[in-house]
Every structure is written in C-alpha cells, then in structure tokens.
Amino acid sequence: MVQEIRVNSQNTLAVLLAQEIGGIPIELATPQQIINLARLVAEEDLLQYATAIRASAQLLPVELDVEELVQAHLEHLLWVEHRKALWRSGRIRSPQSVGCGMRVEGREHLEATLGFPTVLIMPMMLAYEDALWMTHSLGGSREVALYGEGIIDDSIFAEIAQLVDLSNVRLVGATPASARDVIRVLRRKGCFLTYPDFVYRGHKVQHAQFFGMKWPFSSSFIALCASAGNMLLPCYLRREANDLTMHFAQPVEVPHREDGAIDRRWVMHLVGASVARLLEEMILFNPAQWLLLLTLVAKAEQRAE
C-alpha cells in the first residue's frame, strides 16, 4: 500500500515562482529563474514536493538518479505553468511567436495508421495549449476528435483556434452525444486524442495494473479503444529547453473477432491492460517530464477514487 503524501497543485509552484522573482507575473520569468526555483524547492523540500517525487521514483521499475529526477521534474512542472501563462496572457499571438521548436521521430508509425481509426495513447507531458499547437504542427487534413475536461467552458480551444488552424479538430465533451461524435470521427478513419493516464472524479472507471498498483482509467476511453480494427498509436514527448520532440512508436491493432467469440468484458480487460503497459513504457523513457508523476503517491483530483 502506497503511503499518500499531500502535495499542493502545480498552481502553487506558479505562485512560489512569482514570489521568488519579486511578484511579477509568471509569464515574465526567465529560464534561469525557473531553474533557480526548482533548485530551491528541491533543496528546501518546500510543501513536500521533493519528498513526493522521491517516493514516486521508488515505484518506477528503472534505475534513476533520484535527486536529478527531483530537480528535472520540478523544472518541467514550472516550465509548463510558464507556458500556460504565456498562452493565457495573450503573449503568444501567432504560430511564429509560439517560441517552441517541434520535430517528429517515428513518423512512419503515424503514417501506418492512415486509413484506420486511430486512438493516440499519450502520457500527459504538456500544457493543453501546447498540445493543441502540437496537433496543428503535425499538419495534414485528417479529422481529429479531441476531449478535454472543462475546456469548452474556459474557451481555451476557441482562443487557440484563432491563432493556429484547428479546422480539422473537433472538440468533444463528456456527454453521450459527444461520445457518438468520437465514434463517427473514428469510423471516418480519423483520430481520437485525449490524455488517458488520468480520469477525474465523477467519471466511470476501469482499473488496471499500473506501476504495480490498481489504477483508474476512464471506462469510456477503454471502450472506445476496444473497437475491433482500431489502431492504438503510442506517442510520448521529450523537451530540451523550448524544443519538443514527438516520438511515435509502432501502433497496436485491436484484432477483429467473430461475433460472440469473446466476452466484451474480457476484451475491455485486455485492452485496458494494453493501454496501461503502453503508457508505462513511454513514461519510463522520460519520467521526469510526465506531469502526473506525483499522482503515484499524492492525493490528486486526477485520481478518480
């Protein structure tokens, strides 16, 4: 049983950053100021962030320099808060002013899914605004259904769509009608994109083994993945300064089956286990930049339990 640690939200880090740099808005922070605060939070164990990161590292089945992970993870959390503030303050006004570079590795795996209904399996590593820009940067006219909690109410999607071309992206919510929209996009050989590594409280969940513990996944997401003929396309990101690399891996096809040959619940179980395994593999390639690392040991709204 993992001992849960109480850690404040990433917004608390943003407040600390503003305090440390003289109360100016976080979007004005320099890269060195972000690094300095990450070091301070790590060394002083402010609000138990460092304790929680060390505890999370112990659950990962890979050898790590734990103190390096603490510093790197804190810096990435702060960088993401900085990026959110840049977008939401209006300082990013065009694709040319985004301030990030983007390259793609494994594009052949993405291209292998053309002509198939495709569900992207991607751990949460970026601010939502940057994820939208990333979707735009991939180019192409393939239809994309995108789900995000509370995005419609916040009008974030509409604001980003004024800056970059999202004409092929369809924003969907949590209603039954939205679920049908996603199914229609997939039937037209489009893509479905959301973050599958967490689910908010109040949503139906399906559990799977994830880093050795019982972990909640959205049952609706697993059900969408489980349709015969779907391609599950793994993708993770790596950031160096403001440059992002998107890594695609070989897709997994959900096999066709004879009607009634396999119980639907068993299919859901197998697909849920596959999604968990794919996420584990990708997170272990870059654990420091997985935004939900602390949810392994800390109470968080993203754990629907």
Side-chain angles (χ1 to χ4, degrees):
M1 182 69 128
V2 176
Q3 180 66 41
E4 286 190 325
I5 300 170
R6 287 199 171 273
V7 174
N8 291 41
S9 70
Q10 287 175 225
N11 291 336
T12 305
L13 282 174
V15 173
L16 280 172
L17 179 59
Q19 291 173 347
E20 286 298 314
I21 59 179
I24 65 173
I26 186 173
E27 61 267 23
L28 300 182
T30 66
Q32 189 58 52
Q33 287 169 327
I34 289 174
I35 291 170
N36 290 345
L37 179 60
R39 185 180 299 118
L40 174 66
V41 174
E43 291 175 351
E44 301 295 329
D45 195 15
L46 297 179
L47 302 174
Q48 290 194 291
Y49 276 102
T51 293
I53 296 169
R54 292 186 190 106
S56 296
Q58 293 174 11
L59 298 175
L60 301 178
V62 63
E63 290 188 11
L64 297 166
D65 182 324
V66 175
E67 296 312 310
E68 181 178 305
L69 177 72
V70 170
Q71 172 83 18
H73 185 59
L74 286 166
E75 182 188 336
H76 190 63
L77 293 180
L78 285 164
W79 181 84
V80 166
E81 290 301 314
H82 175 67
R83 292 293 302 170
K84 287 180 186 176
L86 284 173
W87 281 104
R88 297 182 188 189
S89 65
R91 283 174 167 76
I92 297 176
R93 301 176 184 274
S94 68
Q96 292 72 34
S97 62
V98 166
C100 287
M102 172 67 77
R103 61 190 294 263
V104 176
E105 292 186 351
R107 188 178 286 273
E108 68 274 15
H109 299 306
L110 172 63
E111 293 173 351
T113 67
L114 294 175
F116 294 90
T118 302
V119 181
L120 207 66
I121 309 297
M122 173 184 283
M124 188 176 184
M125 292 177 161
L126 289 178
Y128 172 71
E129 294 87 348
D130 281 328
L132 281 176
W133 167 75
M134 173 203 73
T135 304
H136 158 80
S137 299
L138 283 173
S141 58
R142 193 175 185 185
E143 192 174 5
V144 178
L146 184 144
Y147 171 77
E149 187 83 8
I151 291 165
I152 296 174
D153 294 338
D154 295 339
S155 300
I156 298 172
F157 182 88
E159 292 172 8
I160 304 300
Q162 292 178 0
L163 303 179
V164 299
D165 180 14
L166 298 176
S167 56
N168 62 318
V169 181
R170 184 179 184 88
L171 184 66
V172 299
T175 66
S178 292
R180 290 191 290 271
D181 285 341
V182 174
I183 292 170
R184 281 191 285 267
V185 168
L186 290 173
R187 284 176 177 168
R188 292 193 290 264
K189 316 305 183 188
C191 296
F192 178 52
L193 172 60
T194 190
Y195 285 125
D197 45 358
F198 73 91
V199 55
Y200 285 112
R201 290 185 177 93
H203 291 251
K204 292 182 179 180
V205 302
Q206 174 177 324
H207 289 92
Q209 284 293 112
F210 186 64
F211 290 124
M213 66 183 76
K214 184 180 177 182
W215 196 263
F217 293 93
S218 165
S219 59
S220 297
F221 177 77
I222 299 300
L224 284 168
C225 289
S227 294
N230 277 358
M231 287 285 199
L232 308 183
L233 179 61
C235 176
Y236 75 96
L237 292 116
R238 183 176 297 276
R239 175 183 68 85
E240 295 182 10
N242 284 330
D243 292 327
L244 302 170
T245 301
M246 181 182 289
H247 302 259
F248 289 103
Q250 185 173 356
V252 175
E253 185 174 4
V254 179
H256 291 272
R257 56 194 178 276
E258 295 180 10
D259 289 344
I262 304 176
D263 186 275
R264 174 69 174 173
R265 291 171 296 179
W266 181 239
V267 173
M268 291 275 287
H269 170 77
L270 291 176
V271 171
S274 296
V275 168
R277 177 183 57 81
L278 291 171
L279 285 168
E280 284 182 348
E281 290 175 354
M282 290 185 288
I283 289 165
L284 291 176
F285 277 117
N286 187 16
Q289 293 178 1
W290 180 42
L291 294 184
L292 300 177
L293 179 66
L294 291 175
T295 61
L296 294 177
V297 298
K299 283 186 175 294
E301 63 177 356
Q302 291 94 342
R303 289 276 295 278
E305 297 176 300

